[in-house]
Amino acid sequence: MFQRNADGSPALKQIEINTISASFGGLASRTPAVHRHVLNVLNKTKDAARILSNNPSQGLALGIAKAWELYGSDRALVLLVAQEKERNVFDQRAIENELLARNIHVIRRRFEDVAEKGSLDQDRKLFLDGQEIAVVYFRDGYMPSQYNQQNWEARLLMERSCAVKCPDIATQLAGTKKVQQELSRVGVLEMLLPDQPEAVARLRATFAGQYSLDLGEEGDQALAEALAAPSRFVLKPQREGGGNNLYGEEMVQALRQLKDSEERASYILMEKIEPEPFGNCLLRPGCPVRVVPCISELGIFGVYVRQGKTLVMNKHVGHLLRTKANEHADGGVVAGVAVLDNPFPV
């Protein structure tokens, strides 16, 4: 997001990193054509030509295809682990179709299917319904509510296999808010990027303030500051999928309840980013189309493939812009609050 600094200047600030089930690569690949069409209908052809091209579904498929290729079996499939009632199926189909165009076949199964029909052979190759699996692509399994004992056993089976995991459990955990908070500590980036002070400075400039709530003096101080000025902070649990953050009075109530509990260490406190609102029209079901104050969040899709400790691919493959009315504290496209959008370069 663009932080509005005290002097009025903008600065890009990082919200979070998602390492599992990053959504809307497929739909974001189609929104430029929608906005170009609207602008052309309005005879704004010059503006239509300025809408940035964007095809993250192709880039995401490229990463999965590279993993499939490294696995080394033309007969092996990609397993997409899907939810029982998947509302975002068309977004996922775009990536599946990109893979099919490369003659890489995808099967969609639930955790329950893997638990019932999955197996490993003596070489730890993963089989499902008698078909060998080269890559496991998780579009489920990012919230505790998505696991029961059977699902945990299915996840363990896939982790133990030699199939490529997107992501494996370590990479998923690396995307947690707690890891993000620890990375912002002084000295951590310097350890990870030795002798690169300029890179460290550029990265650190994108960090909003992030504070530990562990029991102890440091956590007590962060908690006291949040209770004294709640409008300056957001409380984040270790959750993905949207709709989990706490703001304002909700945050105050939660912090008071957690004050003397070890459970507070499972949250992080983050500086609330204050972007400059702008006027925009949001097309949502059941809502009149009118100009309202909005804010946007820009996401960058990246593909990262490694084989052991060897880096194979690490590249930017597209972007995602989500826009919501400024009246909503926490937004989400699936929740019906935010909409998919396009950057308009000026």
Side-chain angles (χ1 to χ4, degrees):
M1 276 184 162
F2 274 110
Q3 165 84 359
R4 179 179 50 190
N5 292 329
D7 62 1
S9 62
L12 276 173
K13 293 294 182 180
Q14 178 183 287
I15 307 295
E16 63 182 1
I17 296 170
N18 297 116
T19 55
I20 182 170
S21 192
S23 293
F24 301 125
L27 297 180
S29 299
R30 283 148 175 76
T31 52
V34 174
H35 277 160
R36 287 187 190 122
H37 171 76
V38 170
L39 290 168
N40 282 323
V41 167
L42 296 172
N43 290 319
K44 295 181 178 291
T45 52
K46 288 184 178 179
D47 287 342
R50 288 164 63 186
I51 298 292
L52 299 173
S53 294
N54 188 34
N55 196 353
S57 60
Q58 188 178 71
L60 296 172
L62 184 69
I64 295 172
K66 174 55 71 173
W68 177 86
E69 177 188 315
L70 290 170
Y71 183 83
S73 173
D74 292 341
R75 299 185 308 278
L77 308 178
V78 172
L79 167 64
L80 189 152
V81 180
Q83 298 182 38
E84 176 76 48
K85 296 179 180 178
E86 179 55 76
R87 297 172 60 191
N88 202 19
V89 64
F90 300 109
D91 176 57
Q92 298 167 5
R93 291 290 190 199
I95 298 169
E96 290 181 49
N97 291 340
E98 290 282 355
L99 289 168
L100 188 58
R102 294 173 167 82
N103 202 29
I104 300 171
H105 290 260
V106 179
I107 57 172
R108 301 174 62 88
R109 296 292 188 273
R110 305 165 303 155
F111 273 113
E112 290 84 349
D113 299 317
V114 177
E116 291 169 7
K117 301 176 181 178
S119 63
L120 304 184
D121 69 6
Q122 68 273 16
D123 298 318
R124 292 189 300 110
K125 291 180 180 178
L126 176 64
F127 288 85
L128 192 58
D129 293 323
Q131 298 173 297
E132 187 176 355
I133 304 300
V135 181
V136 179
Y137 176 35
F138 288 101
R139 293 299 291 255
D140 192 9
Y142 49 86
M143 294 193 295
S145 61
Q146 294 166 339
Y147 288 94
N148 53 30
Q149 187 58 38
Q150 183 187 46
N151 291 6
W152 277 121
E153 290 171 1
R155 181 69 188 261
L156 179 59
L157 181 80
M158 291 183 280
E159 289 292 328
R160 289 179 57 223
S161 79
C162 62
V164 185
K165 274 72 70 175
C166 177
D168 63 10
I169 197 74
T171 306
Q172 182 176 343
L173 290 171
T176 58
K177 309 294 186 293
K178 185 63 180 176
V179 169
Q180 186 180 350
Q181 178 247 309
E182 290 294 325
L183 285 171
S184 70
R185 287 186 184 277
V186 174
V188 175
L189 287 181
E190 287 83 353
M191 177 182 67
L192 296 171
L193 297 168
D195 305 318
Q196 298 185 59
E198 291 183 6
V200 168
R202 288 177 61 203
L203 276 171
R204 185 159 284 130
T206 70
F207 290 174
Q210 296 179 72
Y211 312 99
S212 168
L213 288 171
D214 292 354
L215 289 176
E217 185 178 347
E218 181 186 4
D220 290 345
Q221 182 180 344
L223 187 142
E225 289 183 11
L227 290 175
S231 63
R232 291 176 44 218
F233 299 96
V234 53
L235 185 64
K236 292 187 170 187
Q238 310 302 315
R239 297 289 181 269
E240 302 300 339
N244 302 299
N245 298 336
L246 296 175
Y247 304 82
E249 186 55 35
E250 268 192 308
M251 180 185 72
V252 169
Q253 290 179 12
L255 286 174
R256 284 176 177 159
Q257 289 175 353
L258 295 166
K259 189 173 183 181
D260 300 315
S261 168
E262 290 184 358
E263 188 186 344
R264 83 181 200 193
S266 65
Y267 292 79
I268 71 159
L269 194 66
M270 184 171 174
E271 171 193 358
K272 188 180 178 185
I273 296 170
E274 298 287 354
E276 183 79 48
F278 57 90
N280 208 340
C281 295
L282 307 182
L283 185 61
R284 295 184 295 170
C287 299
V289 179
R290 55 190 177 87
V291 177
V292 294
C294 294
I295 57 175
S296 290
E297 180 180 338
L298 178 68
I300 303 299
F301 287 104
V303 169
Y304 171 82
V305 182
R306 63 179 167 81
Q307 190 170 30
K309 294 185 178 181
T310 303
L311 178 63
V312 177
M313 183 182 293
N314 183 21
K315 63 187 295 187
H316 146 251
V317 296
H319 57 265
L320 166 70
L321 193 72
R322 288 177 293 191
T323 298
K324 67 177 181 181
N326 202 26
E327 63 187 284
H328 298 288
D330 204 0
V333 175
V334 175
V337 175
V339 300
L340 299 181
D341 206 348
N342 284 299
F344 187 75
V346 295

